[in-house]
C-alpha cells in the first residue's frame, strides 16, 4: 500500500529549515503533501498563492511532492486525502508544548492519524519565517536562510511592500 503524509505550515515564506524537513520526509513516504495553512492565527505577509508558488519552485525536483492548501481542520483534511501521518519539525523545547497539544488533539479527531516529529537540522534550529522577514525588511542578506530558487522573489516582494 502506498503511504503518504502531510507537512503543514504557514511557509510565510519558505525557509531552508522548512526545506530540510520537506526533503527528509519526502524520502520516508511515497507521497508528501506540503500544505499551506489558510486559517492560521498569524497575520501573513505573503498570499496563499505566493506561498504555494514559492514552495512549488523549490520542490520542482522532488517528484513525490504535491503542494496544496486547505480550510478547516487538519485532521479532517488528512482523512479526506488519505494520509497516514502529519510530519512536523521541532526546533527547540519551545516548539514542543504547542506541537504536543496539537498532536494529541489531532489524534482525538482522527484516531488513524499519527504525528511524526523530525528534529531540526542543527544548522537551522534558530531559523523561522519571521526572522527571515525581519532581516529582509531591514536590508540584510537572507541568502543563507532561504532556498536560492526564491531568494530574489522574496527580497523583491518584501522590498516592494516596504515602499
Ligand atoms: P514558522 O512560521 O514557525 O517558521 P511554519 O508554521 O511555517 O513555521 O512551520 C511549518 C513546520 O515547519 C512546523 O512543523 C515547524 O516546526 C517546521 N519548521 C519551521 N522552521 C523550521 C526549522 N528551522 N527547522 C525545523 N523545522 C522547522
Amino acid at each position: 500500500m502506498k503511504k503518504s503524509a502531510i507537512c503543514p505550515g504557514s511557509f510565510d515564506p519558505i525557509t531552508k529549515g522548512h526545506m530540510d524537513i520537506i526533503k527528509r520526509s519526502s524520502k520516508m513516504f511515497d507521497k508528501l503533501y506540503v500544505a499551506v495553512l489558510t486559517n492560521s492565527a498569524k497575520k501573513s505577509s505573503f498570499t496563499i498563492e505566493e506561498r504555494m508558488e514559492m514552495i512549488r519552485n523549490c520542490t520542482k525536483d522532488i517528484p513525490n511532492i504535491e503542494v496544496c492548501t486547505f480550510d478547516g481542520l487538519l485532521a479532517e483534511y488528512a482523512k479526506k486525502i488519505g494520509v497516514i501521518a502529519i510530519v512536523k519539525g521541532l526546533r527547540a523545547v519551545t516548539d514542543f508544548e504547542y506541537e504536543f497539544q496539537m498532536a494529541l488533539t489531532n489524534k482525538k479527531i482522527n484516531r488513524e492519524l499519527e504525528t511524526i516529529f523530525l528534529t531540526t537540522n542543527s544548522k537551522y534550529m534558530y531559523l523561522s519565517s519571521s526572522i527571515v522577514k525581519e532581516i529582509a525588511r531591514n536590508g540584510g542578506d537572507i541568502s543563507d536562510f532561504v532556498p536560492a530558487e526564491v531568494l530574489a522573489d522574496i527580497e523583491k516582494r518584501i522590498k516592494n511592500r516596504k515602499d
Side-chain angles (χ1 to χ4, degrees):
M1 197 183 90
K2 295 242 189 262
K3 292 193 174 10
S4 52
I6 186 165
C7 202
S10 314
F11 304 105
D12 188 44
I14 187 161
T15 68
K16 287 190 178 179
H18 292 130
M19 275 309 288
D20 181 68
I21 299 293
I22 292 171
K23 280 186 193 156
R24 286 158 63 200
S25 26
S26 72
K27 291 184 194 145
M28 298 164 59
F29 294 92
D30 298 301
K31 178 158 186 172
L32 182 73
Y33 292 89
V34 180
V36 179
L37 303 176
T38 53
N39 57 352
S40 166
K42 297 181 206 166
K43 196 180 159 331
S44 56
S45 305
F46 295 90
T47 67
I48 297 288
E49 277 312 317
E50 286 172 334
R51 287 181 262 165
M52 289 175 73
E53 184 195 321
M54 286 191 273
I55 302 171
R56 282 197 194 101
N57 237 321
C58 301
T59 57
K60 55 182 181 302
D61 296 332
I62 313 174
N64 61 337
I65 285 185
E66 184 173 328
V67 182
C68 59
T69 183
F70 67 96
D71 274 320
L73 293 175
L74 172 60
E76 297 289 357
Y77 182 68
K79 192 187 283 178
K80 191 172 124 199
I81 60 175
V83 300
I84 59 164
I86 299 170
V87 184
K88 306 239 48 188
L90 276 189
R91 274 166 291 195
V93 186
T94 42
D95 277 345
F96 183 76
E97 196 169 333
Y98 173 74
E99 293 295 350
F100 190 59
Q101 181 186 19
M102 289 304 294
L104 291 174
T105 309
N106 286 327
K107 189 82 183 159
K108 177 88 184 153
I109 300 171
N110 177 353
R111 292 190 58 79
E112 302 299 315
L113 188 63
E114 298 295 344
T115 300
I116 296 173
F117 295 110
L118 295 186
T119 313
T120 184
N121 183 320
S122 57
K123 280 197 292 191
Y124 305 129
M125 67 178 293
Y126 59 88
L127 191 53
S128 70
S129 299
S130 324
I131 289 206
V132 166
K133 286 184 281 190
E134 192 59 32
I135 297 171
R137 264 188 224 115
N138 290 290
D141 177 9
I142 54 167
S143 58
D144 279 347
F145 310 136
V146 300
E149 294 88 337
V150 291
L151 173 63
D153 212 16
I154 293 174
E155 284 178 336
K156 193 177 80 201
R157 283 174 176 164
I158 290 183
K159 188 173 168 294
N160 286 347
R161 253 147 244 197
K162 223 172 55 170
D163 297 340

